[in-house]
Amino acid sequence: MSFFGLDCTRKKEREEERKIRANDREYNLSFKYATNSIKTSKYNPFTFLPLNLFEQFQRIANAYFLFLLILQVIPAISSLSWFTTVVPLVLVLSVTAAKDAIDDINRHRSDRKVNNRKVNVLISGKLISEKWMNVQVGDIIKLENNQFVTADLLLLSSSEPLNLIYIETAELDGETNLKVKQALTVTGDMGDNLEALAAFNGEVCCEPPNNRLDRFMGTLTFDSQKYSLDNERVLLRGCTLRNTDWCFGLVLFAGPETKLMQNCGKSTFKRTSIDRLMNVLVLFIFGLLALMCIILAVGNWIWENHAGSKFKAFLPREENTVFSAFLTFWSYIIILNTVVPISLYVSMEVIRLGNSYYINWDRTMYHAQTDTPAEARTTTLNEDLGQIKYVFSDKTGTLTQNIMTFNKCSINGKSYGDVIDHYSGQSLEITEEMTPVDFSFNRLADPKFLFYDHSLVEGVKLELPDVHAFFRLLALCHTVMAEEKREGDLVYQAQSPDEGALVTAARNFGFVFRSRSPETVTIEEMGVQRSYELLAILDFNNVRKRMSVIVRNPEGKLSLYCKGADTIIYERLHPSCSEVMKVTTEHLNEFAGEGLRTLVLAYKDLDEEYFSEWKQRHHESSVGLEDREEKLEKLYEEIEKDMMLIGATAIEDKLQDGVAQTIELLARAEIKIWVLTGDKQETAENIGYSCNLLREEMNDVFIVAANSPEEVRQELRDARLKMCPDTEQDKFLIPEIILGNIPKVVQDENVNGEYGLVINGHSLAFALESNMELEFLRTACMCKTVICCRVTPLQKAQVVELVKKYKKAVTLAIGDGANDVNMIKAHIGVGISGQEGMQAVLSSDFSFAQFRFLQRLLLVHGRWSYLRMCKFLRYFFYKNFTFTFVHFWYAFFCGFSAQTVYDEGYITLYNLVYTALPVLGMSLFDQDVNAGWSLEYPQLYLPGQLSQYFSKHAFMMCALHSWYSSLVLFFVPYAATYDTARDDGKDGADYQSFALITQTCLTVTMCVQLGLDLSYWTVVNHLFVWGSLGMFFILTFAMYTDGLFQLRPSSFAFIGTAKNCLNQPNVWLTVVLTAILCVLPVVGYRFIYSQISPTINEKVRYKVCQMKEPAPRPRRTRLSRRSTRRSGYAFSHAHGYGDLVTSGRFLRRNALTSSMGLIPTGRSPGFKPTGWSAGYSPVGREQNPKQKVEPTSLQLFRAVKDSLF
């Protein structure tokens, strides 16, 4: 169940603040802090049976059947044997208990696995290997490279210079780029000195346990000094230590009190929309049952008063007719209880379990590269997958791979990156068969980097000044850290994958960034090592949208290098660049049309005297206390002007395979996709265009980025009025009465055209306030796509909850990190597994490795599951209502005596044997069209969103059909046997013969009706239908023999009835006539309706039959993107990182010294091409090689056009 364990229990007493003393277990134990042990299991061998039964009898249905069982053991009431209820009840309880036991055993195993992991703990001055479960708050532990962080720790010291460490937070946020943490100097000086660490007695006072991943507040008191602690000093459970030999940490929060575990929240029980509808219908059925029993009880009272005295000689009579009616009421409660059969719930669980296994077994949803199959982690929500209206998706790790690749560039007006056909002059689509650029001339080249335009490397070799200046800027203007533990083995650590991709590109083209110190940047230019003096870093922030460095080259020349968003850089260029700027703008538009992220590069030569004076002013402003930021910004503006344009870069934020095709298919299925991401607005917008969520063809894309509630409200209102000018302010809410409650539901509003909405986290905070949430929801739901950027995990959950609360729609949320856990508590939660974080998977209902598998999960498995469940419910209610209503009609002919029309054996076996397997076969194997056609026509998904297959209306139609069929099933056999004689002249109208004929008619009719409902006959369906029919006759003849009668006369009283009755031709004629009359209205209705107003399913099935073609094999298509929109600024690292570079706290040791010169080394033997260019992986991983996967969505055959629907 859990990778790190999931225990979401809360302390009974609210903790105001936490006090911890290092290396003092006795002191810390006095506060009764949680240990690091995880417990997710619910039962133990002693508590399992009572607790499980207690939970099961909290369900209304189980308690109802237990009540019936109690009634059946009262002789004065029951006319049925107790086993007719106890057998199915015990079966239900046993199956559910076995399932719960298996789940809990798995939780026990998971708990043991997590709790028994080992970590080194400092005890009495020695490092002792301890189990995770034995770690306590206040302990000092040692972590080594690639180890999971055991608990929430205060970083004390590390193996890296100035006590820095690198962590991967994939488990928390799904991002694989490394984060930097730094210990306090006072603790970092202890290093790995065990004596000093053992003597450390610092006291920490901090916030109590909470779920805020992005903040921490506390103080450390040591040697009479108090030091401030923030999130930069804390390592959270769920992180992984990377590229750091070792570190020591003090345990702050353990086990269930860690932020990771606090984020899992309270586990909520999810029910499908069909379950919620069933609750309403079951209450209606109970009311109907009570009404029928009251009618029959009144009938008994009337009959006893008028005719009962005539039967004194045959039946004992209750003199008190009112009491007789009272007993009759309860007797009929028992007899008519089959309107809510317990087998209904057993069958539903079996169907859901079977459809869950289909998901687990689906090979097309298996990701071979990471050996990750799709997994249905719950078996209770399958049919909701066929009714999804809103999909909420994270971006990083869900839509994208978080891998940036350097694809194209523009240098001095010339575009590079396309492969041109020498004969036609047209650019070719890049494939794996093409020969990439040979970088063997560069011994430091990254073998995973691929580039296919050979003209660029020729420009480097020819030493074209502009090309060299371009790559020199990329090698100098950044905040990347280099690590070289072995000669020539460079590993770049970048806070943003964008920067890593650009520096890697410069590295391969001969400008290799080797190392940095606070004062210098060392690069290798075409084999010659050069050290540049780093004079200033003008750092990036969200307002500047650019960064610059000022350096002095070895010859003493001063230069400013700048990169940033095109609109920002263009405003600061020298007028002489106008011609180059025009051409570069055309290239930028081309890059944007392909969904690439762009940066513009520029430089400026500086005068020595001017720079000295500027630097002095810069120093004065940086140490000032008043208006520091404003003064520095003016200085930056002053020096970053009249720059010379060098060119532009184009980076692909690699989408996962098939994302764009999947989104296109989901959009055609009328599923709205909302992206909720913590990324900045430009990045999120860019991804929206890349994956076709936002399109140039849209009528408008609204940007809401206001800074006050009034402005946000006005922008939302303006957007809504533009989409629908005639919209009314107050008529968008409709009340929906559910069990006495009247919740407000925001109705769908018709909009002409397609619109998109982008809103940032600051504006979203205002939009989610109670007085504005409906305005936001109303506007957002009118848009085809919504992108919320810079949102917190809490805001993600709030957005999902808002839609769940006010929209009568089923929602699905998909993510891959701990920051998505609260979000994926939508109606359906999907976790992305694989190389990213597993925390979302642990809290999800379904999981798989790639976003593209979502199309098959919804359009195939989800639609089939919903269709099958709806067919099952319609048929099940039909067969049981029909079965029960016959009892009702019979009561008028048996003196309301609570006598059953069927024998007890048939009543017991009807739902368990005779009709169980056929309906299960339909519910597990039926298909209207196969998987290929389901993906070919996503419009088939629409009826599920509208709940057309099963609703209150469908239920009432089913009840009416049952009412009609019950009349036919009772009165046709009644009329056929009334006052008749057998072939041998004996009377043929006895009770037992009538009961058998009615049973036979009912069983045959149910099989015929099921055959009409089946769309897809399989061998299993044939076996179940004909086998059940055969079983009915076999068991009927077996139970009506004299042998069983002699064993138990009271239970097998119908001796010889089958043999004497079923050999009469008129009986079989009655069976055939009854079956025809029962199904005739259904056949007629379906025929007429299909001619007048055919459903989309009927249209598609007709076209498929007409074409006589096999199902289309999905094929991968390359979606072309043509956009005039400028792509987002490809630069996402946090503000202030440059200060760390220049402050003397450099992140890595100096690179190894190496000899000059270029040594051809060639490709490594294991090298495999992976795409246009190798992706920069922030943790130094090899990029996933391309694989031959099953195509996902688009079609070979388009015989049926969308216009038909």
Side-chain angles (χ1 to χ4, degrees):
M1 228 2 233
S2 173
F3 192 67
F4 291 101
L6 287 173
D7 190 304
C8 305
T9 57
R10 295 183 179 179
K11 294 175 72 68
K12 293 181 181 179
E13 296 181 5
R14 184 174 179 85
E15 190 177 336
E16 296 298 332
E17 67 174 9
R18 172 155 294 205
K19 295 181 180 180
I20 305 164
R21 185 179 295 162
N23 293 310
D24 193 340
R25 281 194 170 186
E26 184 177 352
Y27 173 82
N28 298 321
L29 284 172
S30 66
F31 294 99
K32 298 181 180 180
Y33 297 139
T35 66
N36 208 39
S37 176
I38 297 298
K39 181 179 182 296
T40 65
S41 56
K42 296 167 62 177
Y43 313 110
N44 62 42
F46 302 103
T47 62
F48 174 74
L49 192 59
L51 277 180
N52 189 262
L53 287 177
F54 176 73
E55 290 176 353
Q56 291 203 57
F57 281 116
Q58 287 183 3
R59 299 172 185 169
I60 295 176
N62 289 346
Y64 167 69
F65 289 111
L66 180 63
F67 174 67
L68 285 180
L69 180 61
I70 295 171
L71 290 179
Q72 281 186 278
V73 298
I74 303 175
I77 294 177
S78 179
S79 59
L80 284 175
S81 299
W82 56 270
F83 63 80
T84 59
T85 297
V86 76
V87 171
L89 180 61
V90 169
L91 178 64
V92 171
L93 296 177
S94 301
V95 170
T96 306
K99 178 183 170 184
D100 292 342
I102 292 171
D103 287 344
D104 206 58
I105 288 170
N106 290 332
R107 284 192 287 265
H108 274 286
R109 290 173 179 168
S110 177
D111 291 345
R112 284 195 296 270
K113 181 179 178 181
V114 172
N115 290 331
N116 290 327
R117 286 180 179 161
K118 295 297 185 69
V119 68
N120 290 323
V121 183
L122 186 63
I123 300 176
S124 302
K126 296 181 180 179
L127 284 175
I128 299 175
S129 181
E130 279 280 8
K131 295 178 179 179
W132 275 28
M133 60 190 295
N134 296 329
V135 172
Q136 297 184 17
V137 172
D139 286 350
I140 292 178
I141 65 176
K142 180 183 181 181
L143 297 176
E144 296 181 344
N145 194 30
N146 296 325
Q147 271 192 334
F148 291 116
V149 178
T150 310
D152 289 356
L153 308 175
L154 170 64
L155 179 61
L156 297 178
S157 62
S158 82
S159 59
E160 301 304 297
L162 296 167
N163 310 304
L164 293 158
I165 67 164
Y166 302 92
I167 57 170
E168 181 185 294
T169 59
E171 289 296 333
L172 299 178
D173 55 21
E175 296 183 4
T176 55
N177 46 298
L178 300 188
K179 310 292 192 303
V180 180
K181 301 285 185 177
Q182 185 177 31
L184 292 169
T185 304
V186 65
T187 60
D189 291 342
M190 294 187 291
D192 57 352
N193 186 333
L194 297 184
E195 292 183 3
L197 288 165
F200 178 66
N201 62 352
E203 293 190 9
V204 173
C205 181
C206 65
E207 60 189 19
N210 60 75
N211 63 356
R212 289 290 301 272
L213 294 170
D214 58 343
R215 68 180 286 272
F216 176 82
M217 294 179 62
T219 58
L220 170 66
T221 304
F222 181 56
D223 286 344
S224 302
Q225 296 290 323
K226 186 175 285 189
Y227 304 90
S228 175
L229 302 177
D230 57 23
N231 209 40
E232 296 304 311
R233 317 292 183 193
V234 175
L235 309 182
L236 300 182
R237 177 175 180 146
C239 298
T240 306
L241 193 66
R242 298 290 189 196
N243 300 327
T244 305
D245 292 336
W246 52 262
C247 74
F248 285 88
L250 173 68
V251 178
L252 301 175
F253 304 112
E257 294 178 341
T258 57
K259 289 181 181 287
L260 180 71
M261 301 305 153
Q262 292 282 315
N263 252 289
C264 75
K266 184 179 180 181
S267 180
T268 56
F269 176 70
K270 295 183 178 181
R271 294 182 302 173
T272 65
S273 57
I274 284 182
D275 280 334
R276 291 189 291 273
L277 175 60
M278 281 287 293
N279 287 341
V280 177
L281 297 180
V282 165
L283 290 177
F284 169 80
I285 292 170
F286 284 161
L288 177 64
L289 174 62
L291 177 62
M292 289 192 298
C293 292
I294 290 172
I295 292 172
L296 297 179
V298 172
N300 175 266
W301 176 75
I302 296 173
W303 189 87
E304 288 288 349
N305 284 325
H306 290 83
S309 59
K310 300 176 183 178
F311 291 87
K312 275 187 177 182
F314 306 100
L315 293 172
R317 182 170 180 268
E318 178 65 50
E319 294 299 329
N320 187 341
T321 57
V322 175
F323 185 66
S324 174
F326 174 77
L327 294 179
T328 301
F329 173 84
W330 293 110
S331 296
Y332 274 110
I333 286 285
I334 295 172
I335 291 174
L336 304 181
N337 78 82
T338 46
V339 288
V340 190
I342 195 168
S343 57
L344 171 69
Y345 295 93
V346 180
S347 301
M348 288 178 71
E349 291 302 316
V350 172
I351 293 166
R352 286 166 171 166
L353 183 64
N355 285 314
S356 297
Y357 276 113
Y358 289 153
I359 295 172
N360 297 342
W361 294 338
D362 193 340
R363 291 186 178 183
T364 58
M365 295 173 67
Y366 170 71
H367 193 235
Q369 201 163 346
T370 57
D371 190 28
T372 306
E375 181 183 5
R377 298 175 58 83
T378 180
T379 60
T380 59
L381 302 173
N382 303 64
E383 59 267 24
D384 257 5
L385 292 172
Q387 296 185 275
I388 302 298
K389 181 65 176 176
Y390 292 90
V391 170
F392 302 95
S393 175
D394 181 36
K395 184 192 76 69
T396 304
T398 303
L399 297 177
T400 67
Q401 301 179 36
N402 200 29
I403 295 175
M404 307 296 177
T405 60
F406 180 87
N407 273 9
K408 296 184 179 182
C409 63
S410 172
I411 303 176
N412 195 28
K414 182 176 180 181
S415 178
Y416 297 92
D418 287 320
V419 178
I420 305 300
D421 188 339
H422 296 297
Y423 298 101
S424 65
Q426 300 294 319
S427 62
L428 301 176
E429 182 179 348
I430 293 173
T431 63
E432 292 183 358
E433 289 73 26
M434 287 187 176
T435 304
V437 171
D438 182 9
F439 291 108
S440 59
F441 70 91
N442 182 357
R443 66 184 179 85
L444 295 175
D446 183 351
K448 298 184 292 296
F449 180 89
L450 295 182
F451 200 78
Y452 291 88
D453 186 354
H454 295 263
S455 62
L456 184 56
V457 76
E458 293 300 323
V460 172
K461 291 179 179 179
L462 293 173
E463 299 185 359
L464 298 179
D466 295 323
V467 175
H468 277 216
F470 178 88
F471 287 113
R472 185 179 294 112
L473 186 150
L474 294 182
L476 292 172
C477 185
H478 57 80
T479 57
V480 174
M481 306 298 158
E483 179 183 21
E484 189 173 6
K485 292 190 174 181
R486 295 197 309 271
E487 172 65 27
D489 184 13
L490 278 171
V491 177
Y492 291 146
Q493 305 294 345
Q495 195 182 24
S496 110
D498 312 83
E499 284 214 304
L502 294 174
V503 176
T504 300
R507 167 185 174 180
N508 273 58
F509 283 98
F511 288 76
V512 185
F513 168 59
R514 297 298 298 269
S515 65
R516 71 161 70 248
S517 73
E519 296 84 19
T520 63
V521 176
T522 301
I523 66 174
E524 191 171 296
E525 298 182 8
M526 302 304 292
V528 179
Q529 187 159 303
R530 292 166 62 84
S531 184
Y532 288 77
E533 184 181 356
L534 182 60
L535 301 172
I537 292 182
L538 284 55
D539 204 6
F540 163 88
N541 64 36
N542 286 326
V543 176
R544 283 170 44 75
K545 295 185 180 180
R546 64 189 184 279
M547 77 162 290
S548 301
V549 295
I550 299 175
V551 297
R552 180 181 284 113
N553 67 13
E555 290 77 29
K557 183 179 178 181
L558 278 173
S559 299
L560 177 145
Y561 292 107
C562 181
K563 64 182 180 184
D566 47 13
T567 53
I568 302 297
I569 301 296
Y570 279 180
E571 295 172 357
R572 292 159 177 80
L573 292 179
H574 193 276
S576 62
C577 299
S578 57
E579 291 300 322
V580 178
M581 188 171 69
K582 289 180 182 178
V583 180
T584 304
T585 301
E586 293 179 5
H587 294 160
L588 287 170
N589 290 333
E590 292 175 8
F591 300 157
E594 298 175 16
L596 303 178
R597 299 158 57 120
T598 57
L599 282 177
V600 170
L601 313 183
Y603 78 99
K604 177 182 180 180
D605 291 330
L606 299 177
D607 177 70
E608 188 76 43
E609 182 179 344
Y610 166 74
F611 177 71
S612 298
E613 184 265 336
W614 181 89
K615 188 175 182 181
Q616 178 62 32
R617 286 187 287 136
H618 178 269
H619 175 72
E620 292 172 358
S621 299
S622 61
V623 297
L625 297 178
E626 294 184 4
D627 302 325
R628 177 190 299 175
E629 295 296 328
E630 291 79 1
K631 291 178 180 178
L632 287 175
E633 182 60 32
K634 288 180 181 179
L635 285 172
Y636 292 166
E637 288 285 347
E638 177 187 321
I639 201 169
E640 291 175 327
K641 64 181 181 180
D642 293 334
M643 295 185 291
M644 304 301 294
L645 179 63
I646 297 178
T649 62
I651 294 175
E652 181 184 13
D653 186 359
K654 290 184 73 68
L655 294 172
Q656 290 188 8
D657 288 342
V659 166
Q661 294 92 332
T662 299
I663 288 173
E664 183 204 23
L665 276 182
L666 296 182
R668 288 171 58 196
E670 297 298 327
I671 296 174
K672 294 185 178 181
I673 300 178
W674 293 21
V675 176
L676 312 178
T677 177
D679 281 335
K680 61 189 180 68
Q681 180 180 319
E682 292 86 351
T683 305
E685 244 186 289
N686 182 72
I687 291 298
Y689 280 96
S690 297
C691 60
N692 282 358
L693 277 170
L694 301 176
R695 296 184 301 278
E696 194 70 17
E697 296 78 23
M698 282 184 165
N699 298 66
D700 202 352
V701 176
F702 304 110
I703 309 294
V704 179
N707 294 314
S708 69
E710 294 76 17
E711 292 175 347
V712 171
R713 185 187 299 274
Q714 189 60 45
E715 289 186 11
L716 290 172
R717 187 169 294 148
D718 291 344
R720 175 169 53 82
L721 292 174
K722 182 171 182 180
M723 288 186 284
C724 191
D726 300 329
T727 182
E728 297 185 45
Q729 182 64 28
D730 300 322
K731 294 186 178 180
F732 64 95
L733 290 176
I734 54 175
E736 186 186 50
I737 301 176
I738 301 176
L739 302 182
N741 298 320
I742 309 180
K744 293 179 179 178
V745 176
V746 176
Q747 63 181 348
D748 292 327
E749 299 179 71
N750 294 324
V751 177
N752 294 323
E754 291 187 355
Y755 297 87
L757 175 68
V758 179
I759 183 170
N760 64 25
H762 191 68
S763 298
L764 186 62
F766 296 124
L768 291 174
E769 292 178 356
S770 58
N771 61 348
M772 205 188 306
E773 60 181 11
L774 289 178
E775 183 75 47
F776 165 67
L777 181 63
R778 190 181 179 191
T779 303
C781 289
M782 295 168 74
C783 297
K784 190 77 171 176
T785 298
V786 178
I787 297 178
C788 304
C789 45
R790 288 294 188 199
V791 295
T792 65
L794 178 61
Q795 286 177 325
K796 290 184 178 183
Q798 288 174 329
V799 171
V800 174
E801 188 59 35
L802 181 65
V803 177
K804 286 176 63 178
K805 181 179 179 182
Y806 289 110
K807 293 295 289 185
K808 191 180 178 182
V810 182
T811 60
L812 178 146
I814 179 170
D816 69 332
N819 59 342
D820 301 320
V821 167
N822 287 328
M823 176 183 74
I824 64 177
K825 289 179 180 176
H827 293 111
I828 300 287
V830 177
I832 298 290
S833 58
Q835 73 170 7
E836 307 297 345
M838 290 290 292
Q839 195 59 39
V841 172
L842 298 177
S843 302
S844 66
D845 305 307
F846 301 89
S847 67
F848 40 71
Q850 296 279 295
F851 181 84
R852 60 189 165 91
F853 296 145
L854 184 64
Q855 60 173 297
R856 190 169 178 88
L857 182 71
L858 299 186
L859 303 184
V860 178
H861 292 290
R863 198 179 68 81
W864 281 351
S865 295
Y866 173 69
L867 180 64
R868 291 164 178 166
M869 183 60 75
C870 292
K871 277 191 173 185
F872 163 78
L873 290 173
R874 292 200 307 265
Y875 177 79
F876 208 97
F877 280 126
Y878 168 71
K879 75 182 183 69
N880 280 86
F881 279 10
T882 304
F883 175 91
T884 306
F885 289 164
V886 172
H887 277 300
F888 182 78
W889 306 127
Y890 181 66
F892 291 89
F893 292 82
C894 70
F896 305 96
S897 61
Q899 184 183 16
T900 60
V901 71
Y902 318 112
D903 77 280
E904 289 184 357
Y906 184 80
I907 292 173
T908 304
L909 297 177
Y910 177 73
N911 278 313
L912 291 179
V913 178
Y914 300 150
T915 60
L917 289 180
V919 70
L920 280 179
M922 178 181 70
S923 306
L924 291 174
F925 302 107
D926 197 34
Q927 304 173 10
D928 54 349
V929 294
N930 62 27
W933 294 113
S934 296
L935 295 174
E936 175 81 10
Y937 301 110
Q939 300 91 337
L940 288 167
Y941 193 80
L942 268 64
Q945 295 173 335
L946 302 174
S947 298
Q948 290 181 351
Y949 295 144
F950 188 73
S951 60
K952 294 174 184 175
H953 175 264
F955 173 79
M956 294 307 298
M957 294 297 294
C958 174
L960 287 174
H961 184 204
S962 299
W963 174 79
Y964 163 78
S965 296
S966 67
L967 286 172
V968 172
L969 283 164
F970 179 78
F971 286 102
V972 170
Y974 179 81
T977 57
Y978 183 77
D979 202 19
T980 60
R982 291 164 38 85
D983 291 345
D984 55 8
K986 296 181 180 180
D987 187 9
D990 61 285
Y991 160 71
Q992 292 186 349
S993 296
F994 173 73
L996 178 59
I997 294 172
T998 306
Q999 291 169 189
T1000 307
C1001 291
L1002 177 63
T1003 306
V1004 171
T1005 299
M1006 291 304 110
C1007 288
V1008 173
Q1009 181 63 48
L1010 184 106
L1012 290 176
D1013 288 343
L1014 264 174
S1015 303
Y1016 185 64
W1017 282 86
T1018 65
V1019 174
V1020 177
N1021 291 115
H1022 279 287
L1023 179 64
F1024 283 176
V1025 172
W1026 302 115
S1028 295
L1029 202 56
M1031 187 62 68
F1032 164 73
F1033 289 107
I1034 291 172
L1035 290 179
T1036 298
F1037 277 96
M1039 289 192 298
Y1040 293 177
T1041 59
D1042 57 349
L1044 290 177
F1045 172 77
Q1046 292 174 5
L1047 288 175
R1048 193 178 178 90
S1050 62
S1051 297
F1052 301 99
F1054 282 40
I1055 179 172
T1057 305
K1059 182 179 178 181
N1060 294 331
C1061 182
L1062 295 180
N1063 62 357
Q1064 302 298 307
N1066 67 316
V1067 170
W1068 292 105
L1069 182 62
T1070 302
V1071 172
V1072 173
L1073 178 63
T1074 304
I1076 292 174
L1077 289 176
C1078 284
V1079 301
L1080 191 60
V1082 177
V1083 174
Y1085 172 81
R1086 291 182 182 177
F1087 174 77
I1088 295 172
Y1089 197 82
S1090 65
Q1091 299 301 312
I1092 298 174
S1093 179
T1095 64
I1096 187 171
N1097 300 65
E1098 290 167 339
K1099 291 179 183 179
V1100 172
R1101 291 187 65 193
Y1102 176 75
K1103 291 295 181 182
V1104 170
C1105 293
Q1106 289 292 104
M1107 290 167 60
K1108 296 181 181 179
E1109 294 280 357
R1113 296 185 61 190
R1115 57 185 175 88
R1116 298 281 296 279
T1117 57
R1118 183 180 177 83
L1119 294 179
S1120 61
R1121 291 185 290 263
R1122 293 291 177 262
S1123 172
T1124 58
R1125 174 190 169 275
R1126 190 61 44 76
S1127 192
Y1129 175 44
F1131 206 58
S1132 59
H1133 71 268
H1135 169 62
Y1137 204 58
D1139 295 339
L1140 183 61
V1141 173
T1142 58
S1143 64
R1145 296 173 289 167
F1146 54 94
L1147 303 189
R1148 285 287 169 194
R1149 302 179 179 90
N1150 289 332
L1152 298 172
T1153 57
S1154 60
S1155 57
M1156 301 301 115
L1158 295 172
I1159 304 173
T1161 57
R1163 300 282 185 199
S1164 61
F1167 170 74
K1168 295 179 181 178
T1170 59
W1172 288 3
S1173 58
Y1176 168 74
S1177 176
V1179 293
R1181 293 181 178 145
E1182 182 175 354
Q1183 185 188 359
N1184 293 336
K1186 278 191 176 178
Q1187 56 179 341
K1188 291 185 178 179
V1189 295
E1190 282 294 321
T1192 53
S1193 64
L1194 299 180
Q1195 307 85 1
L1196 291 171
F1197 304 97
R1198 286 196 178 270
V1200 183
K1201 304 298 182 185
D1202 293 345
S1203 59
L1204 290 173
F1205 312 114

